[in-house]
Amino acid sequence: MTVWIIITFLLLVSVGIWSMLTFYPTFGARPTSEERIRHASITPFYKKGKFVNAIPTDMRMDMRTMLSVFRDFSWRQPGRKPAKPLEVVDWEKAEPASETANRVTWFGHSAMLLELGGKTLLLDPMLGRAPSPFPAIGGKRYSKRLPVRIEALPQIDAVVLSHDHYDHLDYGTIMQLKGKVRRFFVPLGVGKHLVRWGVDPSAIQEFSWWEEGEFEGLKLVSAPARHFSGRGLAGRNSTLWCSWVIEGGGTRVFFSGDSGYGPHFREIGDKYGPFALTLMECGQYDERWSNIHMMPEETVQAHRDAQGGVLIPIHWGAFTLSVHDWRDPAERATAEARKQGVAIATPRIGEAVVIGSDTFPTEPWWRQV
């Protein structure tokens, strides 16, 4: 009798897990067999039903490394998050005809509001409470509020996504935004999540690496990144990840998405540089997973490889997803930028940076927290 009770319990647990993965909308959608065939026909970076990086990128960890990661995450080390909530700068819409019309505003982590060529774009708009499929139990955002309420945002001409991880593609945010967004530009496979969440398929355009697109005077190019994808216990690497080249009004911006360092940055610079501004991943790194997340010194080198003008470090300042001090990304990146003679902007959350201007925020504000 005891054996049957255990078997019944395990079956119920298995059914519960399957049901959650199948019906819980936050996990998104899985590709069909027809979509897998289409992906394989579009890009050489899709093999055996999975997207792959352009160069070998080992993400496996041996037992000793996994135990060290578990130990480090379990140890409550001071400095992993701010001692008090971060203050933010209230966002204000620029006048279309002003000299500051081309600008970018950092909302924390990798969420950016890009105003370029008369268009308003949101890049990786994770504007939720926590980067988790269950936000109520995830790590909280460092700031108590955003620079602007989602309902107070103007019409968004386009949302541009780099990949489908929870800290970049947030279900709750999309559900609030989708009614005011005209277009979604995403890597291959990511559109499936959006369709499940009620976005009109005709408003979604998917890109493979090096594919170019035009949107009302803007040029967008989906470029390589060195990373991975996935939203649940299954489906890893079933969608593509990418970086973006965005050009409008004669100004080019590069958005790295998430990426380990690699030769693709130089290739992007050779093909599409120079860039007036780069938005480069810098945070949530560790030597143990440096193949998929750059170290801060590599962030600066990647900016130089891409032929960037001003560098804004992103992917920090909002959530704790690694074991480093929350201030380290900015400290290390600014130190390396000074060493290499790179112009680096360090805006507060909500503080706008005018693209192409000789003046931009450089204050080390994080030291005052």
Side-chain angles (χ1 to χ4, degrees), residues 7-136:
I7 291 173
T8 302
F9 173 76
L10 292 175
L11 283 173
L12 289 172
V13 170
S14 299
V15 170
I17 293 174
W18 176 85
S19 298
M20 182 178 65
L21 292 174
T22 302
F23 299 110
Y24 188 52
T26 302
F27 287 123
R30 300 286 299 277
T32 63
S33 57
E34 292 79 8
E35 287 166 337
R36 293 190 184 98
I37 293 172
R38 184 174 68 87
H39 294 162
S41 70
I42 291 174
T43 175
F45 301 105
Y46 190 78
K47 300 177 181 179
K48 298 180 180 179
K50 301 288 184 181
F51 289 98
V52 298
N53 284 293
I55 62 174
T57 303
D58 190 0
M59 290 178 279
R60 294 172 298 177
M61 293 186 184
D62 58 28
M63 183 59 67
R64 182 176 180 180
T65 303
M66 291 177 65
L67 288 173
S68 73
V69 171
F70 179 77
R71 176 202 65 207
D72 290 349
F73 270 100
S74 300
W75 179 34
R76 294 182 177 274
Q77 183 179 4
R80 285 193 188 158
K81 61 181 182 180
K84 60 182 181 180
L86 297 186
E87 298 293 332
V88 302
V89 177
D90 290 331
W91 178 82
E92 295 182 2
K93 185 173 175 60
E95 294 296 329
S98 73
E99 295 179 354
T100 62
N102 286 344
R103 63 178 190 168
V104 66
T105 306
W106 181 48
F107 285 172
H109 204 61
S110 295
M112 316 286 294
L113 185 70
L114 176 62
E115 296 165 281
L116 186 69
K119 296 292 183 288
T120 300
L121 313 178
L122 275 173
L123 313 182
D124 282 1
M126 195 299 175
L127 306 178
R129 175 183 181 273
S132 164
F134 309 103

Side-chain angles (χ1 to χ4, degrees), residues 137-202:
I137 59 175
K140 294 181 181 179
R141 182 180 292 272
Y142 293 164
S143 58
K144 287 186 176 180
R145 64 182 181 89
L146 295 166
V148 61
R149 292 177 291 108
I150 292 178
E151 57 268 26
L153 284 168
Q155 182 186 53
I156 304 301
D157 293 300
V159 162
V160 179
L161 298 172
S162 65
H163 63 300
D164 70 0
H165 284 158
Y166 296 107
D167 56 324
H168 297 260
L169 174 58
D170 179 59
Y171 168 73
T173 300
I174 296 299
M175 294 302 288
Q176 293 182 71
L177 275 175
K178 63 182 182 180
K180 60 170 54 186
V181 177
R182 297 172 55 214
R183 296 292 295 276
F184 289 83
F185 297 104
V186 304
L188 280 175
V190 174
K192 187 87 171 179
H193 300 318
L194 301 178
V195 171
R196 182 179 183 184
W197 299 341
V199 176
D200 185 345
S202 66

